[in-house]
Amino acid sequence: MKLTLHGYSTALFATWYFIEELGLLFDAGDGLVSNLLGKAGKIRNVFVSHADRDHLTGLFQYNQLFSKTGLNIHYPKDANSFQHLNAFLERFDPHINTAHWKPLEDNEAIAIKNGYSVQGFENKHIDVPGQLKSLSYKVIETKHKLKAEFSSLSGKEIVALKQEKGDDYIKEKEETNVLIYSGDTPVFDYSKYDNCKTLIHEATFLTKEETQTKNNKNKHSSLEEVLEMAANISIEKLVLGHFSSRYDVKEIDQKIKEGIKHYNIKIPVYRMPIGRMQKDILNGKPIN
């Protein structure tokens, strides 16, 4: 399935990414509804990475216009702010059908649509021992295909074998990581983001030195670290976002091009703009 990806991602101000075909939203920062307009009504599942306001305040306007009993909002199980937000919205908009707010465990997978599921896994943005407060997410497509050992059988033979042994006997499950969304996180484990078609990763700062000199309790990635990781894992497309507004877009693009050359990156690399929405990201022009 071709995926149409729209998004907005500027550090500190707002981040969200919407996949039209799956009715799927990652994070819900400001500008969600004002940019998507009627398309926002297609959203069926929201997966919020953590409870920082630039990743969730778009839910207020969304709740007023589009909240429905079929809407599911998923969040890290120990991010208690979401329970309070749910309670507030129920009081503030009592006439509106309430969405289902669902806490997620680490590595828990949620079926969303037509063989697709979303699995959350813990990252290191909010690293509190024993508590799950920040998640990255992967979109998994699951197909069942005929086992190679039965490929030479005729259609009648396959039907007979299925009737005798069952569907699970003749077919094997094939899972593909269609997309991985990092949320906010430092680069910490390459294997978490390996083997996917599209990786959306934050790159708040441009250099490793900037991440190392920041003493904030919530950690972020640098462009340099993300490009180094991309050069050492198997991905087909890379979307870079969540850049700090302290940088000029020309400066960001120059650093991306330098990193692509330095790490010999061959895959398409897309850059989210500062301060505005990007439509159909994967059908746009890559930096390289």
Side-chain angles (χ1 to χ4, degrees):
M1 179 189 296
K2 176 185 176 293
L3 299 182
T4 306
L5 176 68
H6 310 298
Y8 182 110
S9 186
T10 301
L12 191 62
F13 294 100
T15 288
W16 53 266
Y17 292 92
F18 171 54
I19 302 174
E20 276 197 50
E21 292 81 1
L22 299 179
L24 176 59
L25 181 72
F26 290 118
D27 282 331
D30 283 349
L32 169 65
V33 173
S34 60
N35 280 286
L36 289 177
L37 300 177
K39 285 183 183 293
K42 296 181 178 181
I43 297 169
R44 293 295 179 269
N45 283 279
V46 182
F47 289 84
V48 187
S49 61
H50 62 292
D52 285 350
R53 296 185 187 186
D54 55 324
H55 292 256
L56 59 77
T57 50
L59 290 173
F60 289 83
Q61 180 71 348
Y62 186 89
N63 189 72
Q64 178 193 9
L65 295 176
F66 296 108
S67 186
K68 56 188 83 69
T69 54
L71 177 70
N72 300 298
I73 301 174
H74 311 271
Y75 60 90
K77 70 179 183 68
D78 297 316
N80 297 323
S81 299
F82 291 97
Q83 299 173 25
H84 299 298
L85 180 58
N86 180 18
F88 169 78
L89 290 175
E90 286 183 347
R91 294 195 302 272
F92 194 73
D93 294 319
H95 58 291
I96 292 173
N97 291 327
T98 305
H100 303 288
W101 295 68
K102 300 183 177 182
L104 284 181
E105 299 280 352
D106 186 24
N107 293 315
E108 183 176 357
I110 303 295
I112 57 168
K113 182 179 181 180
N114 299 334
Y116 287 85
S117 61
V118 175
Q119 183 181 46
F121 59 94
E122 186 175 16
N123 61 39
K124 300 297 181 181
H125 180 56
I126 306 175
D127 195 8
V128 180
Q131 296 188 52
L132 183 64
K133 290 182 173 289
S134 183
L135 289 169
S136 298
Y137 294 104
K138 64 174 63 175
V139 181
I140 303 169
E141 181 184 18
T142 302
K143 294 181 178 179
H144 293 84
K145 65 176 186 178
L146 188 69
K147 293 179 180 177
E149 61 196 271
F150 303 127
S151 60
S152 62
L153 298 181
S154 68
K156 288 184 178 180
E157 290 173 321
I158 291 172
V159 170
L161 191 60
K162 178 180 177 180
Q163 292 174 341
E164 179 186 356
K165 300 284 189 177
D167 202 48
D168 290 341
Y169 179 78
I170 64 171
K171 291 184 178 181
E172 59 186 355
K173 184 166 67 174
E174 180 181 70
E175 293 187 340
T176 302
N177 295 325
V178 174
L179 182 144
I180 296 179
Y181 170 57
S182 73
D184 285 4
T185 179
V187 172
F188 67 101
D189 182 350
Y190 287 11
S191 68
K192 296 288 187 180
Y193 305 95
D194 197 6
N195 295 310
C196 74
K197 291 185 176 294
T198 298
L199 172 61
I200 304 173
H201 206 289
E202 71 123 298
T204 305
F205 304 107
L206 296 186
T207 66
K208 294 179 182 180
E209 288 73 19
E210 290 173 280
T211 60
Q212 292 167 356
T213 56
K214 300 298 176 184
N215 294 317
N216 301 327
K217 65 177 182 178
N218 296 348
K219 304 299 183 181
H220 292 277
S221 295
S222 71
L223 171 64
E224 187 177 358
E225 292 167 307
V226 177
L227 291 177
E228 183 177 12
M229 177 176 68
N232 287 280
I233 61 177
S234 177
I235 57 177
E236 296 181 11
K237 296 179 181 179
L238 174 63
V239 179
L240 298 166
H242 205 267
F243 290 102
S244 170
S245 60
R246 74 185 67 185
Y247 306 118
D248 181 84
V249 172
K250 292 182 179 179
E251 180 184 8
I252 295 172
D253 287 353
Q254 182 60 36
K255 287 292 186 182
I256 294 174
K257 291 175 182 177
E258 291 173 0
I260 288 171
K261 182 178 180 180
H262 177 75
Y263 292 110
N264 194 29
I265 293 174
K266 302 298 185 183
I267 62 170
V269 178
Y270 303 86
R271 181 264 302 140
M272 294 297 293
I274 297 290
R276 65 180 177 86
M277 174 192 177
Q278 183 68 49
K279 294 183 179 180
D280 201 2
I281 297 164
L282 301 178
N283 198 40
K285 184 178 180 181
I287 294 297
N288 53 341

